[in-house]
Amino acid sequence: MKKNNREKAMCQLQNELNFIFKDITLLNGALTHSSYANEHRKTNMIHNERLEFLGDSVLNLAVSDYIYKKYPYYPEGNLTKIRATVVCESALALIAKKIKLGDYLLLGKGEEATGGRNRDSILADALEALIGAMYLDKGFRDVQRFVIRLLEKEIIEASKKGELFIDYKTKLQETLQRNRKASIEYKIVKEEGPDHDKKFHILALIDKEEFGRGYGRSKKEAEQRAAKEVLIRMGVKDE
């Protein structure tokens, strides 16, 4: 994308998000997928994986702080379930689609051709990277206001219904603690594909014994699928 067009796009996104960056390079980095950076190695372009790592922690803290204060009588287990519901990959991807974040991503040709702009794992990661960039640019309080503005409706719904998106890992952990007191472990058994398009194969082990397998474009996605398979084998209803 030409520089002038990219700058216009970044201005448009900032206006839509109602968040103006002091350092626009942070925003651009948050929206640069590793596949695009790999295709432009000579420019030493920075992609969004480090920002995603930071944003994941900032997001969890922002939501935790908010629900801790909003629901002072909820026990730890309820708070954990609410947080897990609104920060899971499916929920974040839906929010990213609502704000049309995919329209602003810089993707490599392979990801572009295979629908990466609408892929949940890429969108969720980009949203976390955006939150990380916002934190570096303006600090925690400003980014928390942004996060809650995006997620407040989902948080309230989750507090009423318990789950908007099924977090199979949390559900499995609760089931094991309630019924078996067993330990659960997730183990990567295989990674395939280039760095910008990795696929993960995960084993779900209960007391070191294999109970389920999962496959996905992120470790989170693969672990969720492995946990779901275990729950199905245990006869736990998907509800």
Side-chain angles (χ1 to χ4, degrees):
M1 182 180 292
K2 293 182 179 180
K3 185 176 181 180
N4 288 343
N5 290 341
R6 186 61 178 169
E7 289 175 352
K8 288 179 182 178
M10 293 297 92
C11 288
Q12 180 179 335
L13 178 58
Q14 289 179 96
N15 289 333
E16 291 177 356
L17 297 177
N18 194 25
F19 192 104
I20 306 302
F21 278 78
K22 294 181 288 185
D23 183 358
I24 195 68
T25 62
L26 286 169
L27 175 58
N28 194 60
L31 301 175
T32 302
H33 192 258
S34 58
S35 61
Y36 187 89
N38 287 335
E39 290 182 4
H40 298 79
R41 289 177 182 171
K42 292 182 179 180
T43 64
N44 294 318
M45 184 172 291
I46 297 174
H47 56 73
N48 65 7
E49 289 180 359
R50 280 171 53 84
L51 285 171
E52 175 205 338
F53 164 79
L54 177 62
D56 176 67
S57 296
V58 174
L59 172 63
N60 275 278
L61 178 58
V63 172
S64 297
D65 178 77
Y66 177 78
I67 62 177
Y68 180 86
K69 295 171 181 175
K70 184 173 180 64
Y71 304 108
Y73 303 110
Y74 278 26
E76 181 267 346
N78 289 41
L79 296 176
T80 298
K81 181 171 286 188
I82 293 171
R83 184 183 62 193
T85 298
V86 298
V87 303
C88 72
E89 184 177 280
S90 299
L92 295 181
L94 183 59
I95 293 297
K97 289 174 183 176
K98 285 182 178 179
I99 63 176
K100 299 181 180 179
L101 201 59
D103 292 350
Y104 300 92
L105 295 178
L106 294 177
L107 298 175
K109 294 177 182 177
E111 286 293 352
E112 187 76 68
T114 57
R117 222 168 268 284
N118 294 305
R119 187 170 299 127
D120 280 5
S121 58
I122 289 178
L123 288 171
D125 290 348
L127 182 57
E128 288 179 338
L130 175 65
I131 290 168
M134 289 176 167
Y135 169 74
L136 290 177
D137 194 71
K138 289 192 175 179
F140 179 72
R141 290 305 169 192
D142 277 11
V143 76
Q144 185 181 40
R145 282 191 284 271
F146 171 80
V147 167
I148 300 309
R149 178 157 50 88
L150 284 185
L151 297 179
E152 187 170 31
K153 181 180 177 180
E154 282 71 21
I155 289 171
I156 292 171
E157 288 299 316
S159 71
K160 293 176 181 177
K161 299 179 181 179
E163 284 184 305
L164 291 175
F165 299 91
I166 298 174
D167 181 353
Y168 293 106
K169 287 181 65 178
T170 298
K171 190 170 186 177
L172 175 58
Q173 185 69 48
E174 292 174 348
T175 301
L176 292 174
Q177 289 177 348
R178 184 168 57 247
N179 299 332
R180 300 183 46 158
K181 307 296 183 183
S183 63
I184 179 71
E185 176 187 0
Y186 297 93
K187 181 180 179 181
I188 298 175
V189 291
K190 185 179 179 182
E191 296 181 32
E192 58 185 12
D195 288 342
H196 66 275
D197 190 23
K198 275 193 179 297
K199 298 176 180 65
F200 297 87
H201 296 256
I202 298 282
L203 286 184
L205 306 171
I206 297 179
D207 290 339
K208 307 299 181 181
E209 181 181 350
E210 179 185 340
F211 268 72
R213 286 176 175 259
Y215 169 84
R217 290 181 175 271
S218 69
K219 287 184 283 188
K220 292 179 183 178
E221 181 183 3
E223 287 173 354
Q224 288 287 347
R225 289 179 175 175
K228 180 179 181 179
E229 184 174 296
V230 175
L231 288 166
I232 291 172
R233 287 187 61 184
M234 294 173 66
V236 178
K237 291 184 179 180
D238 186 1
E239 58 184 18

